[in-house]
Amino acid sequence: MSAPDLLFAVRNNYYLGAYQHAISEASDLESLDESDKLERDIFVYRSYIELGSYELVINEISSSSPQALQAIKLLAQYQGDKMPKEEVLATLGDWLADPSVKHNATVLLVAGVVYTNEGNYVEALKALHGADTLENMAVSVLNYLRIDRVDQAEKTVKAMSAIDDDSTVTQLATAWVNVFLGGSKVQDASYIYQELGDKFNWTVRLLNGAATCNMAMERWEEAESQLLEAFEKDAKSADTLANLATVSLHLGKPASRYVNQLKSVAPTHVAIQRSEAAEESFARAAASFSVAA
């Protein structure tokens, strides 16, 4: 009989996007061995990062902490704009050059997350190559989809399923691939989000995932309902605001409020970048027309 997974609730709540719940669950854990204590701390600090408590993470992780926690501190410095981006990337480069880091899943994960955020999907995949943890594999799936290598994404999801088909991370990665594939697969993805929400907790992450499925199936009213529920839970969620703007446009409703809020909370969000690029292209085209006329 295998030992109980004492960290399941902490880990699972984090994956679902229930960060405060993850922190609360961790505070109730006792009699952990050193390995479990480290993993607990990793998920607690990552949860604080997702909640925007960057200074807390930076201040509590010291220079004598294990390298895994040093990586989490670097992630806090990166996401909280507490360190120049060039310095963050240089630090990651130095770490990845050390052969021993290949056995540190947390360092590889942080590298993958940072490179993904920077749009450097190839470097993210290099950092995560050979990673055997479900979360690292899931980040690889995300990057394969970003570069339109759905074949590799499906292959990775298959490998994840062989490890643990019921894991929340595996289920989420499966949903991402299904949405990307489109067609009837979108409905399969919708069922995954529905099952996870009903089984655990309808978080902002799951509501956005379910809404994305409905958007892909052009069920705009259903998507709006789910997104408004997500908005009530967290009015500063960038993905919620971006999706609400999209849904509003399709429903013929004003979207400017959501766009302005998105610019305020996440000025570098991909939706804002695409919008600004489109505006610039239109301006150039209009200028060219004016000159030609």
Side-chain angles (χ1 to χ4, degrees):
M1 182 176 179
S2 59
D5 184 356
L6 299 177
L7 293 171
F8 173 80
V10 176
R11 199 184 300 112
N12 200 58
N13 274 303
Y14 177 87
Y15 295 146
L16 292 168
Y19 306 116
Q20 192 59 60
H21 285 305
I23 293 170
S24 297
E25 290 285 351
S27 67
D28 293 333
L29 294 176
E30 299 178 354
S31 304
L32 298 177
D33 60 27
E34 290 304 312
S35 177
D36 283 345
K37 285 180 182 178
L38 177 59
E39 186 177 0
R40 175 201 61 193
D41 291 347
I42 287 170
F43 278 100
V44 167
Y45 285 130
R46 290 178 65 192
S47 295
Y48 277 120
I49 290 174
E50 294 296 337
L51 293 172
S53 299
Y54 309 114
E55 292 289 353
L56 181 150
V57 178
I58 294 168
N59 291 334
E60 289 195 5
I61 298 177
S62 69
S63 58
S64 61
S65 298
Q67 189 174 25
L69 290 181
Q70 295 293 338
I72 299 304
K73 181 176 182 176
L74 186 70
L75 182 63
Q77 292 169 321
Y78 169 74
Q79 294 193 351
D81 292 323
K82 306 298 183 180
M83 177 185 287
K85 186 185 302 180
E86 296 76 15
E87 190 174 340
V88 172
L89 295 174
T91 301
L92 285 175
D94 289 341
W95 286 350
L96 293 174
D98 182 354
S100 66
V101 166
K102 294 298 180 183
H103 303 291
N104 194 319
T106 302
V107 174
L108 299 180
L109 176 65
V110 169
V113 169
V114 171
Y115 287 135
T116 299
N117 287 347
E118 290 298 310
N120 197 338
Y121 309 127
V122 174
E123 284 302 315
L125 287 167
K126 285 181 180 178
L128 295 164
H129 179 68
D132 57 0
T133 67
L134 289 175
E135 187 175 8
N136 285 20
M137 295 168 78
V139 177
S140 291
V141 170
L142 182 62
N143 280 280
Y144 281 128
L145 295 178
R146 295 280 176 86
I147 60 175
D148 294 325
R149 288 300 306 272
V150 67
D151 57 322
Q152 290 297 322
E154 288 183 290
K155 182 179 178 181
T156 304
V157 166
K158 185 176 181 180
M160 294 173 67
S161 297
I163 296 172
D164 187 352
D165 187 50
D166 293 328
S167 168
T168 293
V169 181
T170 301
Q171 291 300 304
L172 288 173
T174 302
W176 302 339
V177 172
N178 284 342
V179 171
F180 188 91
L181 289 170
S184 62
K185 290 290 186 180
V186 178
Q187 186 63 67
D188 293 340
S190 180
Y191 290 145
I192 289 174
Y193 287 115
Q194 185 71 43
E195 183 177 346
L196 289 173
D198 291 345
K199 182 178 181 180
F200 297 113
N201 179 26
W202 276 102
T203 62
V204 170
R205 173 172 292 174
L206 294 182
L207 287 166
N208 270 276
T212 299
C213 294
N214 279 320
M215 291 162 66
M217 293 184 288
E218 299 187 358
R219 299 173 181 171
W220 302 107
E221 290 82 3
E222 291 91 334
E224 182 185 41
S225 176
Q226 291 166 326
L227 292 170
L228 288 175
E229 184 179 346
F231 185 77
E232 289 180 5
K233 291 175 178 288
D234 182 4
K236 293 184 178 180
S237 166
D239 288 340
T240 301
L241 293 169
N243 287 331
L244 273 170
T246 300
V247 168
S248 296
L249 289 172
H250 280 277
L251 291 174
K253 297 181 178 181
S256 58
R257 176 164 64 95
Y258 298 125
V259 173
N260 290 333
Q261 284 180 276
L262 181 59
K263 287 181 178 180
S264 175
V265 301
T268 61
H269 192 276
V270 63
I272 297 299
Q273 294 176 345
R274 288 173 180 170
S275 175
E276 292 177 345
E279 290 175 0
E280 290 174 3
S281 296
F282 178 80
R284 286 195 296 269
S288 299
F289 179 81
S290 177
V291 171

